């Protein structure tokens, strides 16, 4: 078992946050903070859980409409990706990070082939039938919360998801 | 999602932003964007990261917790730039 380290919001990190939020900086596009962090503890063993991937890496099926990376306010529409999709049926449309590695092996950002391995090992019970692909560049993510998340939650509840693993690009 | 009874775990390359925006459970990966689940064609590393993330859903007990993955990125191994 990998032992994770404690992370502290040190002065260095606080300075990085201040830089991020400077006028003209990326963070200043929208100051969005969760005033209340909801919390759902696991009520059953991990080995009995169903897990869904929710990624903002810009992955979608080649057959689906690509994300609109030219839209000034971003594209917060979701793409449903069947979890039995083969990697060669996937592509990434995202212009805000380097996805050269992920173009070669999508598991770098969207571990669609790794999750079934952990199921087969017995770490989790099952993989959700559907994963969700999104494109993370949305300057004001309030619209994502308003328009996109309710549908994703409804889909996840229908499929009995216990844990959503969120991976960025 | 948490309000609806789904536990979440996020990977992040920018823990200061995650801290201030707020997320229930997060793991800071000292890896470049585009590789937060590991190197291309390194299933062992990808498996380890995914396993650690899922196991931490069990062990984290307080909302807003950010932990750090102990391994650092080894840039020379980045496949697409080699």
């Amino acid at each position: 078992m990998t032992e994770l380290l404690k992370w502290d919001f040190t002065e260095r990190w606080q300075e990085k946050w201040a830089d991020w939020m400077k006028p003209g900086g990326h963070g200043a596009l929208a100051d969005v903070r969760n005033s209340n962090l909801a919390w759902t503890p696991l009520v059953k063993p991990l080995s009995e859980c169903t897990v869904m991937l929710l990624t903002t890496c810009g992955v979608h099926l080649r057959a689906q409409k690509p994300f609109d990376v030219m839209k000034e306010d971003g594209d917060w529409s979701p793409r449903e990706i069947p979890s039995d999709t083969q990697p060669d049926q996937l592509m990434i449309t995202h212009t805000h990070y380097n996805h050269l590695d992920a173009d070669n092996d999508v598991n770098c950002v969207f571990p669609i082939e790794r999750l079934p391995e952990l199921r087969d090992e017995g770490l989790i019970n099952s993989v959700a039938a559907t994963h969700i692909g999104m494109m993370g560049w949305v300057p004001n993510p309030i619209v994502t919360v308003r328009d996109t998340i309710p549908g994703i939650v409804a889909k996840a509840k229908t499929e009995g998801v216990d844990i959503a693993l969120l991976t960025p690009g | 999602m948490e309000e609806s009874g789904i536990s979440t775990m996020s990977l992040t390359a920018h823990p200061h932003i995650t801290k201030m925006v707020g997320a229930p459970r997060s793991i800071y990966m000292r890896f470049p964007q585009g590789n937060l689940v590991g190197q291309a064609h390194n299933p062992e590393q990808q498996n380890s990261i995914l396993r650690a993330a899922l196991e931490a859903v069990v062990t984290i007990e307080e909302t807003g917790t950010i932990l750090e993955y102990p391994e650092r990125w080894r840039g020379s191994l980045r496949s697409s730039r080699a």
Side-chain angles (χ1 to χ4, degrees), chain A residues 55-82:
Chain A
T55 183
T56 49
C57 74
V59 73
H60 56 87
L61 296 173
R62 290 186 181 277
Q64 288 172 329
K65 183 182 175 188
F67 296 105
D68 185 351
V69 293
M70 301 302 289
K71 197 160 165 278
E72 282 188 9
D73 54 349
D75 181 352
W76 54 96
S77 59
R79 303 288 183 277
E80 293 187 1
I81 300 173

Side-chain angles (χ1 to χ4, degrees), chain A residues 25-165:
Chain A
H26 199 142
L29 292 171
D31 186 354
V32 180
R33 308 186 202 185
N34 287 311
S35 55
N36 174 42
L37 285 183
W39 177 253
T40 290
L42 276 188
V43 292
K44 54 187 175 185
L46 190 55
S47 60
E48 295 178 16
C49 288
T50 296
V51 179
M52 179 186 82
L53 299 177
L54 170 55
T55 183
T56 49
C57 74
V59 73
H60 56 87
L61 296 173
R62 290 186 181 277
Q64 288 172 329
K65 183 182 175 188
F67 296 105
D68 185 351
V69 293
M70 301 302 289
K71 197 160 165 278
E72 282 188 9
D73 54 349
D75 181 352
W76 54 96
S77 59
R79 303 288 183 277
E80 293 187 1
I81 300 173
S83 58
D84 59 356
T85 300
Q86 296 301 305
D88 63 2
Q89 296 175 51
L90 296 168
M91 63 179 289
I92 292 172
T93 304
H94 199 314
T95 53
H96 287 260
Y97 74 97
N98 180 340
H99 50 83
L100 288 173
D101 272 4
D103 291 338
N104 289 323
D105 177 8
V106 77
N107 294 285
C108 294
V109 286
F110 181 60
I112 190 169
E113 291 182 296
R114 299 289 84 80
L115 200 52
E117 295 171 358
L118 296 181
R119 175 202 58 205
D120 294 345
E121 291 174 26
L123 184 75
I124 61 173
N125 179 59
S126 57
V127 176
T130 308
H131 299 312
I132 303 292
M134 297 175 68
M135 193 278 290
W137 192 79
V138 179
N140 188 345
I142 288 291
V143 290
T144 309
V145 175
R146 182 193 67 199
D147 298 342
T148 311
I149 301 303
I152 294 173
V153 168
K155 183 73 177 174
K157 296 300 286 184
T158 300
E159 297 191 356
V161 169
D162 302 294
I163 298 172
L165 179 65

Side-chain angles (χ1 to χ4, degrees), chain B residues 32-44:
Chain B
Q33 281 189 262
N35 289 89
L36 291 205
V37 194
Q39 297 162 345
H41 307 299
N42 187 341
E44 292 79 15

Side-chain angles (χ1 to χ4, degrees), chain A residues 1-9 12-14 16-17 20 32-42 44-46 51-54 96-102 104-105 107-111 114-115 117-118 121 123-124 149 152-153 156-157 161-169, chain B residues 1-17 19-25 27-28 30 32-44 46-48 50-64 66-70 73 78-81:
Chain A
M1 185 169 175
T2 303
E3 188 166 343
L4 297 169
L5 309 174
K6 189 169 179 285
W7 179 83
D8 290 317
F9 193 40
R12 181 176 75 92
W13 286 110
Q14 291 172 37
K16 284 171 78 82
W17 168 257
W20 173 257
V32 180
R33 308 186 202 185
N34 287 311
S35 55
N36 174 42
L37 285 183
W39 177 253
T40 290
L42 276 188
K44 54 187 175 185
L46 190 55
V51 179
M52 179 186 82
L53 299 177
L54 170 55
H96 287 260
Y97 74 97
N98 180 340
H99 50 83
L100 288 173
D101 272 4
N104 289 323
D105 177 8
N107 294 285
C108 294
V109 286
F110 181 60
R114 299 289 84 80
L115 200 52
E117 295 171 358
L118 296 181
E121 291 174 26
L123 184 75
I124 61 173
I149 301 303
I152 294 173
V153 168
K157 296 300 286 184
V161 169
D162 302 294
I163 298 172
L165 179 65
L166 281 56
T167 60
Chain B
M1 300 195 88
E2 299 268 350
E3 284 176 1
S4 305
I6 297 170
S7 304
T8 63
M9 167 59 77
S10 305
L11 301 185
T12 178
H14 307 293
H16 53 301
I17 301 173
K19 172 72 177 178
M20 293 303 287
V21 171
R25 306 170 193 77
I27 297 177
Y28 168 37
R30 298 181 72 155
Q33 281 189 262
N35 289 89
L36 291 205
V37 194
Q39 297 162 345
H41 307 299
N42 187 341
E44 292 79 15
Q46 295 166 358
N47 183 301
S48 295
L50 195 54
R51 177 185 298 276
L54 291 168
E55 288 174 341
V57 178
V58 179
T59 56
I60 290 176
E61 295 179 338
E62 185 181 0
T63 193
I66 301 176
L67 299 176
E68 180 177 326
Y69 193 73
W73 180 257
R78 187 161 194 174
S79 62
S80 57
R81 289 178 170 173

